[in-house]
Amino acid sequence: MGELYKRFGGGLATTFLALVLLWIAGMVLAPNIMMVDYALRPNLPPSQIGGPNDVYSLDNVLYLANEAVHRSIFFKTIWASAFVAVATFVVCYPLAFWLAQHATPSQTAIALLALTIPFWINEVLRTLAWYILLAFRGPLNALLLSIGVIDEPMRYYGNGGVLAGMIYAYILFMLFPIYNAIESLEKAQIEAARDLGASTWRIHWRVVMPHAKAGIATGCVFTFMLAAGSYVAPALLGAPGSRWFTEIIYNWFFEGGDWNRGAAYALVLLVLCLAVVLVTLKLARVNLTDVAK
């Protein structure tokens, strides 16, 4: 705080702080306070709001605990989001290491540009591209039929399609933190480990990954939170048997008209996601300051 005032002066620093606090109050605190308020109150007609029946309780939260189908979808969403984070890490780590330690500047620029260009368009359009790719008469089935891998077209929609679409949609949120972390690793450390007889696997496990743990944890946090709160991919690529918890929340708000129960479901998802994130950071021995950096 003192450095901020020394660098920008009292007036400008105060303006910056005021804008940040205003943004936090209006975009973070106020919506979440309203969500908690809605979640703890019953869904009443306008004429009864503020009356004797309008009292705080945990009924909306307990409804989720007692609803077996919604509860199973909730836990499936959490586990599937964790799978998305792990799968995205498996895809991104080798690429991030190559970009940071082996690629030339021109190769890095070309690779990053090629990865970034698809993200210049809206997430809905990118997901629709996967919808077309996985269609019954789409390019993927046509390719597999032409090379004789399958004998008839297959339907890929459902859990597999949702997970594939999410991994693609959030790949940059895993790639860039890991790339930035590995880029700061001195190549001499890798060469020293190799000279001492360490295998490639041991070099990554004992040298590269511990150095890049902040980037890995950050990427996992980003992808997990984004996957758990995603609606577009499940809505477009999902099937009746692969519903996502966010779809249930959407239905409570916009189809069932019960904003109170929808807010309770959203609150439970938010709390559990935060708990998973904090536990992950604790296990990785990474603090929130490292994630922010």
Side-chain angles (χ1 to χ4, degrees):
M1 187 74 69
E3 293 181 0
L4 182 65
Y5 277 89
K6 289 180 182 179
R7 184 173 182 179
F8 296 103
L12 194 56
T14 302
T15 302
F16 287 157
L17 288 175
L19 291 175
V20 170
L21 293 175
L22 181 63
W23 183 87
I24 292 175
M27 302 299 294
V28 179
L29 293 179
N32 282 282
I33 291 173
M34 291 181 64
M35 180 175 67
V36 173
D37 180 65
Y38 270 92
L40 298 179
R41 293 167 62 183
N43 183 32
L44 299 173
S47 60
Q48 297 185 25
I49 294 178
N53 295 327
D54 191 6
V55 295
Y56 289 107
S57 69
L58 295 176
D59 290 346
N60 292 318
V61 177
L62 294 176
Y63 183 89
L64 171 60
N66 296 324
E67 182 64 39
V69 175
H70 291 180
R71 189 173 65 248
S72 65
I73 294 175
F74 173 74
F75 286 112
K76 185 205 78 170
T77 299
I78 298 300
W79 285 113
S81 300
F83 174 82
V84 170
V86 173
T88 309
F89 168 73
V90 172
V91 171
C92 291
Y93 179 81
L95 178 59
F97 179 78
W98 176 77
L99 289 172
Q101 295 292 326
H102 295 288
T104 63
S106 59
Q107 289 174 333
T108 301
I110 293 172
L112 293 179
L113 183 63
L115 289 167
T116 306
I117 285 177
F119 289 82
W120 291 356
I121 62 176
N122 187 273
E123 181 183 354
V124 176
L125 297 179
R126 296 199 307 270
T127 306
L128 284 173
W130 273 92
Y131 182 88
I132 296 172
L133 180 67
L134 300 176
F136 190 71
R137 300 185 182 276
L140 181 59
N141 272 323
L143 175 63
L144 296 178
L145 285 170
S146 65
I147 61 178
V149 176
I150 58 176
D151 297 325
E152 58 183 16
M154 299 177 61
R155 297 190 182 277
Y156 300 99
Y157 300 127
N159 290 324
V162 172
L163 295 176
M166 286 187 177
I167 292 171
Y168 170 75
Y170 307 132
I171 191 170
L172 293 186
F173 293 94
M174 179 70 74
L175 177 65
F176 285 141
I178 299 177
Y179 166 73
N180 289 333
I182 297 179
E183 190 180 29
S184 63
L185 176 64
E186 293 289 341
K187 294 182 180 180
Q189 296 185 40
I190 298 176
E191 294 299 329
R194 186 174 289 111
D195 292 341
L196 291 172
S199 63
T200 301
W201 166 254
R202 195 169 183 83
I203 290 172
H204 284 278
W205 182 252
R206 298 297 298 273
V207 179
V208 181
M209 287 187 180
H211 179 83
K213 65 178 182 179
I216 295 171
T218 302
C220 290
V221 166
F222 283 168
T223 51
F224 174 82
M225 294 292 285
L226 289 169
S230 176
Y231 176 79
V232 175
L236 294 179
L237 301 176
S242 61
R243 296 185 70 192
W244 213 252
F245 194 68
T246 49
E247 295 180 276
I248 299 177
I249 296 174
Y250 178 91
N251 290 339
W252 278 124
F253 273 100
F254 299 104
E255 294 183 10
D258 193 339
W259 285 31
N260 301 84
R261 192 153 290 168
Y265 276 40
L267 179 63
V268 172
L269 180 63
L270 174 63
V271 170
L272 188 59
C273 285
L274 289 176
V276 170
V277 168
L278 293 176
V279 170
T280 301
L281 295 180
K282 185 69 174 179
L283 293 176
R285 296 180 181 179
V286 176
N287 55 45
L288 291 176
T289 303
D290 295 329
V291 173
K293 292 180 180 179

